[in-house]
Amino acid sequence: MGRDPDGFFKSAKERYGDIFGVQAAGQRQYYVTSSTHVNTIYKNSKSFVFAPTRLRMMIAIFGMSQDSVYNGWMVSSLFPVHHRLLSPAHVGPFVDAILLNAHRLLLEQRDAIHTDEHHTTLEAFTLKFMFKAIAAAFFGPLFPADEAYEPFLGFDSYFPLIAAEMPSFVTSKGLKARDALIRLIGRYLENSDWSSGAAEVMKGIVEECRAATPPLSTWDTAAYVTIQSTTENLG
């Protein structure tokens, strides 16, 4: 699992089905790998109470402070706002922005190639290309996506282990990459023009975090933004 999470989950799904349990590091966790089942869980909130797990993951995976996560405001105010901002009315323009940025970046990439000897793998080209397109659509065109790419990859590669709450000596490199990514986003949010061209969900999350009483710290605001932004790219 640690060396090849994607291969592990693919193999486990083929062998055991869409839902399976894993015993590791002294604890047992269950994974749901089917989008249909995940959708059922989200829709049936009375039978599947996800909020406590979601709050715990915000601390364990994204490094938010307990004071911010467990002050009651997160569930009563931020979650409803976040849910509203993910409605089809807001998601449609966001998808359009991804496509527009993808087209722009593709043209830039084409114009930057001046020789037939330019080589790259399809995986490397596609991953960075889509990361930059999604980042520009979510954060806005001024976001330093090139600088954020390596920390994102480091966090991404350790994400399953961090989510499984493996010991820190196993996940330290991934946590270091996560922290670098959150710090970069925090610095970006300190710019007066950070919201220029940003997605409505991005602007709404930041505004709500800053309107809280007391306002969330720059770290916790950036960490919560990281939850949404990495979800878009991990997805």
Side-chain angles (χ1 to χ4, degrees):
M1 180 177 178
R3 294 182 178 179
D4 183 14
D6 292 337
F8 170 81
F9 284 110
K10 181 177 183 296
S11 176
K13 180 177 180 179
E14 292 173 349
R15 183 172 182 179
Y16 300 109
D18 293 333
I19 303 173
F20 54 85
V22 176
Q23 184 76 27
Q27 57 183 326
R28 187 169 187 82
Q29 297 200 5
Y30 290 88
Y31 295 89
V32 180
T33 61
S34 162
S35 58
T36 300
H37 294 330
V38 170
N39 192 42
T40 299
I41 292 172
Y42 277 115
K43 286 185 175 180
N44 194 358
S45 59
K46 292 183 178 180
S47 298
F48 302 99
V49 182
F50 186 62
T53 301
R54 183 179 180 182
L55 295 174
R56 181 169 56 82
M57 290 172 63
M58 290 164 65
I59 297 172
I61 301 177
F62 294 94
M64 293 187 68
S65 68
Q66 293 198 27
D67 289 343
S68 293
V69 171
Y70 289 118
N71 65 0
W73 167 85
M74 188 70 63
V75 174
S76 64
S77 298
L78 184 56
F79 285 180
V81 169
H82 193 171
H83 180 74
R84 175 177 56 80
L85 291 169
L86 291 176
S87 67
H90 292 99
V91 171
F94 176 59
V95 173
D96 290 341
I98 293 176
L99 295 175
L100 287 172
N101 280 291
H103 181 256
R104 173 181 60 81
L105 290 166
L106 185 60
L107 294 179
E108 290 178 1
Q109 185 92 352
R110 181 201 63 184
D111 295 340
I113 299 174
H114 301 293
T115 174
D116 293 335
E117 296 181 1
H118 179 86
H119 297 289
T120 186
T121 65
L122 179 61
E123 180 181 17
F125 172 80
T126 304
L127 282 176
K128 189 168 187 178
F129 175 78
M130 288 310 302
F131 173 84
K132 293 175 67 174
I134 294 172
F138 184 75
F139 291 103
L142 301 178
F143 182 72
D146 283 317
E147 184 180 352
Y149 185 62
E150 290 302 323
F152 166 77
L153 284 184
F155 182 33
D156 179 29
S157 64
Y158 278 87
F159 191 91
L161 298 177
I162 298 172
E165 298 184 53
M166 292 292 164
S168 59
F169 70 86
V170 177
T171 60
S172 60
K173 289 184 179 179
L175 294 174
K176 183 178 180 180
R178 176 204 68 188
D179 291 352
L181 182 61
I182 292 175
R183 284 194 296 269
L184 186 150
I185 292 174
R187 291 194 300 271
Y188 178 71
L189 293 178
E190 292 175 350
N191 296 327
S192 59
D193 55 354
W194 69 266
S195 62
S196 177
E200 289 301 314
V201 63
M202 163 72 171
K203 292 188 285 189
I205 287 172
V206 175
E207 289 169 2
E208 192 68 19
C209 288
R210 290 177 172 174
T213 306
L216 264 66
S217 66
T218 297
W219 173 273
D220 283 333
T221 300
Y224 194 85
V225 168
T226 302
I227 295 174
Q228 180 62 31
S229 61
T230 52
T231 300
E232 299 294 347
N233 266 293
L234 289 169

